[in-house]
Amino acid sequence: MNPSELSEVALEAGLPRFAAGQICSWLYSKRVSTIDAMTNISKSGRETLKSICEVGITPYSEVFVSADGTKKYIFDMDGSAVEAVMIPDGDRATLCVSSQKGCAMGCRFCMTGRGGFHGNLDAAQILSQFFAIDEAPILTNAVFMGMGEPLANYTQVMKVMEVLTSEWGLGWSPKRITLSTIGVIPRLRDYLAQSRCHLAVSLHNPFHDERLSVMPREESWPIAQIVDILRSQDFSGQRRVSFEYTMFAGFNDSKRHADALARLLRGIECRINLIRFHEIPDFPYKCSPAPVMEAFRDRLNAAGITTTIRASRGEDILAACGLLAGKYNNPSENSME
């Protein structure tokens, strides 16, 4: 809840309106998990608050630790397993957060999409991923790149971003947050108008027919139209746009693809992140070899588009890109062999 909503709660509980500020401080600055901990509110006021509301943090049920220090947290959200990934990197601790239970986008190379869609997370369930993990006090960044399509759960995701970036909330700079999308065009326009957080677009192939073969939503939201929308935006200031490009051997890693990608993105201040494909069952492609990825990167850089190869993290615990499947069992039991 934001301060305005908390004011209504305070009044309903028979508390003065200024108690909303006290509650806000307890929730977001002091991060209490119980109403009893709000000690500058009268005991009778706390009892009334407890009768009408709860703090609402969902604890994690399991955690798996990768050899590289990445941690995957499992949350039971109304009977569905939801996964969040904490990625340490020097003085940075980035949370890869989920916004839905499963995903309805159907990308063929993604384990989350394979599992289908089981509902949206509400703002409290999304925020629980920030508040309940062991690294909550030291998180520095967030990427909405976990389970689900964030723009398909727009209202709840924007509520979370308000808490993350407001002075009354966590007070993060929008520069610390990136939202990843396949390009839900109606909501993409809203996001660009209403948020200053970064944007990452899942591109994966510059050609319509080829992208459609692995990303069914290309039919409704073609990448050419998405790029046209982005071309009208100014990304030279605080907000960045990047494009995610998973590399599949023999499918999207040729010089033809690199040149078409450079043409598609010409005129946009952006970067491209090349992602190693992590193999999943019943998908025909493997990851491009390292020399092919490096040549692809170099060709794009020579064309004037900043391009990097993203380091793969947490693959041994199925926490890497495309591997979040919402499973309770030990990742070692989910063998790809």
Side-chain angles (χ1 to χ4, degrees):
M1 289 185 173
N2 61 33
S4 176
E5 293 166 326
L6 289 171
S7 291
E8 297 302 315
V9 170
L11 291 177
E12 185 181 351
L15 297 169
R17 190 178 290 275
F18 69 77
Q22 296 172 315
I23 298 170
C24 209
S25 176
W26 285 114
L27 290 174
Y28 301 125
S29 295
K30 300 180 179 69
R31 303 193 186 197
V32 299
S33 58
T34 66
I35 291 170
D36 282 328
M38 301 177 181
T39 52
N40 61 353
I41 296 173
S42 68
K43 184 175 180 180
S44 62
R46 280 179 269 154
E47 291 301 318
T48 305
L49 278 176
K50 286 192 294 183
S51 72
I52 60 175
C53 56
E54 60 185 7
V55 173
I57 295 175
T58 301
Y60 66 84
S61 56
E62 289 185 273
V63 60
F64 302 103
V65 183
S66 168
D68 64 24
T70 299
K71 295 174 74 173
K72 180 166 73 170
Y73 288 91
I74 313 295
F75 294 83
D76 183 348
M77 302 293 192
D78 302 322
S80 293
V82 172
E83 304 178 5
V85 179
M86 193 286 301
I87 307 164
D89 185 14
D91 58 356
R92 291 164 59 102
T94 299
L95 182 67
C96 180
V97 62
S98 293
S99 56
Q100 295 182 306
K101 294 175 278 189
C103 186
M105 298 299 106
C107 299
R108 293 180 57 210
F109 50 86
C110 176
M111 286 296 290
T112 306
R114 292 280 188 90
F117 177 65
H118 308 289
N120 287 324
L121 297 178
D122 63 32
Q125 291 171 323
I126 299 172
L127 282 170
S128 288
Q129 298 168 63
F130 289 87
F131 282 72
I133 68 172
D134 299 340
E135 294 77 18
I138 63 167
L139 288 176
T140 61
N141 297 78
V143 290
F144 284 75
M145 296 182 181
M147 301 173 70
E149 164 56 65
L151 293 187
N153 189 16
Y154 186 76
T155 300
Q156 299 303 311
V157 167
M158 292 304 287
K159 274 188 171 184
V160 171
M161 288 193 171
E162 182 186 22
V163 172
L164 295 177
T165 60
S166 296
E167 288 186 11
W168 52 260
L170 301 192
W172 284 18
S173 164
K175 293 189 294 184
R176 296 167 62 178
I177 303 166
T178 301
L179 179 144
S180 176
T181 178
I182 68 167
V184 181
I185 286 177
R187 288 308 196 180
L188 175 61
R189 292 192 177 97
D190 293 338
Y191 179 76
L192 292 169
Q194 297 170 9
S195 174
R196 298 305 304 165
C197 296
H198 298 319
L199 177 71
V201 176
S202 295
L203 200 161
H204 309 305
N205 201 301
F207 298 111
H208 170 76
D209 289 344
E210 293 180 15
R211 189 172 189 258
L212 179 62
S213 72
V214 294
M215 301 177 71
R217 294 307 177 105
E218 166 73 8
E219 185 71 39
S220 303
W221 306 312
I223 191 61
Q225 189 175 344
I226 294 164
V227 169
D228 283 344
I229 293 170
L230 297 177
R231 188 169 281 111
S232 66
Q233 300 289 313
D234 180 9
F235 292 106
S236 61
Q238 183 184 55
R239 182 169 57 188
R240 294 194 312 264
V241 63
S242 58
F243 292 89
E244 311 296 301
Y245 197 91
T246 302
M247 300 289 288
F248 305 108
F251 175 70
N252 67 350
D253 59 356
S254 69
K255 293 178 181 178
R256 178 177 70 95
H257 289 92
D259 293 344
L261 195 54
R263 289 193 300 272
L264 178 68
L265 302 182
R266 185 169 294 133
I268 300 177
E269 187 76 21
C270 66
R271 72 166 49 236
I272 298 173
N273 293 316
L274 303 182
I275 301 170
R276 294 176 177 85
F277 173 55
H278 304 102
E279 292 181 39
I280 63 174
D282 303 319
F283 186 72
Y285 300 108
K286 297 184 180 297
C287 182
S288 303
V292 173
M293 291 186 69
E294 291 161 5
F296 198 88
R297 174 200 61 196
D298 294 346
R299 194 172 184 88
L300 287 166
N301 278 320
I305 300 179
T306 300
T307 304
T308 58
I309 298 174
R310 179 185 290 170
S312 181
R313 301 292 299 272
E315 186 173 3
D316 58 326
I317 56 168
L318 302 187
C321 292
L323 296 183
L324 299 186
K327 292 187 180 296
Y328 285 107
N329 54 305
N330 191 308
S332 65
E333 297 172 5
N334 297 330
S335 175
M336 298 298 171
E337 299 175 356

